[in-house]
Amino acid sequence: MVDESQLASHAAAYAEHGYVLVKGLLDKAEAQAYREESHALIERLNRDADPTWESARQLGMGERTELKHCHDVQFHAAAFSKLLVDPRFTDVAAAVMGTPNVQLHHTKLFVKPPEKGSPFPMHQDHPFFPHAKHSVGAAIFHFDDAPLEKGCVRVVPGSHRDGPLAHQSEGSWHLPFSQWPLDKAVPCEAEAGDVLFFTYFTVHGSGVNTTSEARTTLLVQYRDPADPPTEDLHTHSLGQGMILRGVDPTSRGAAAAAM
């Protein structure tokens, strides 16, 4: 379990920089087990669809890249349901938001295939699902090592203080390439078991996986249940609204149950 002093340190880093990389939140054996669950799920789905953003094609340097993914992983394998309510995760999410309550927004599994795993241009998550109190954050679980060569996440420290930035919508929301070059952002190289937490205002992206091994991550977007969305966006996630820690202090859950 994470102790109170560690939680306070994580919260301070998150507030100052807009992100914090929590080392070894999962042990190596757990990370390996989740990696195996992830790849087995991708194999069962056997989907041909490639969710690579069109705006990311420019980062591939003319090479065709690919991405494999799955939304709502907890509806496909029970192991992920267990992970979502693991106190090691939810206690950190609560600490960085400054609330005792943690609510799920959505989950998404990403596998960057070897040698051609797709990049993501620099962007904020805010345009995809803006909220009134801006509590929304992300946790990226690393199920295998993610060095720079594997296309690890890159961030711009302190960018969360600038609030919402003007994005380009073509090929999915992204920031102008000339103003926000990927190679100028800080790499967050990670090991299997590490979890990267960041706010939805933190500018981030990731490079191409050029190695001979896949890069496997699980994205969990979370929020304070008292923080409502300001636009009717991203409502298709099956698990949205699930309480991962604490309670929902609003009346929305009771109202929905009465319908």
Side-chain angles (χ1 to χ4, degrees), residues 109-121:
L109 173 68
F110 287 110
V111 175
K112 288 190 177 188
E115 300 177 354
K116 54 183 178 182
S118 294
F120 282 88

Side-chain angles (χ1 to χ4, degrees), residues 189-202:
E189 295 184 288
E191 297 177 294
D194 296 349
V195 182
L196 176 66
F197 293 80
F198 56 90
T199 83
Y200 83 161
F201 282 148
T202 303

Side-chain angles (χ1 to χ4, degrees), residues 57-166:
R57 301 296 183 193
Q58 298 182 46
L59 300 176
M61 306 297 289
E63 299 293 329
R64 182 73 180 182
T65 61
E66 296 178 2
L67 193 65
K68 298 181 183 296
H69 86 312
C70 174
H71 283 83
D72 307 317
V73 291
Q74 70 275 20
F75 284 84
H76 294 274
F80 296 112
S81 301
K82 180 181 178 181
L83 183 59
L84 289 177
V85 295
D86 190 316
R88 292 174 295 178
F89 157 57
T90 60
D91 285 355
V92 176
V96 297
M97 286 193 296
T99 171
N101 308 311
V102 179
Q103 186 177 54
L104 178 66
H105 191 269
H106 71 275
T107 65
K108 192 182 297 183
L109 173 68
F110 287 110
V111 175
K112 288 190 177 188
E115 300 177 354
K116 54 183 178 182
S118 294
F120 282 88
M122 300 301 287
H123 66 283
Q124 296 174 316
D125 289 338
H126 170 267
F128 295 94
F129 31 82
H131 280 61
K133 299 179 182 179
H134 308 308
S135 68
V136 183
I140 295 181
F141 289 80
H142 295 83
F143 297 149
D144 44 36
D145 293 346
L148 183 62
E149 297 78 12
K150 266 195 176 183
C152 69
V153 178
R154 292 172 176 255
V155 299
V156 179
S159 54
H160 64 302
R161 301 193 198 99
D162 296 329
L165 299 172

Side-chain angles (χ1 to χ4, degrees), residues 26 35 47 55 100 146 181 195 214:
L26 302 178
R35 187 185 194 280
R47 292 174 178 167
S55 56
V195 182

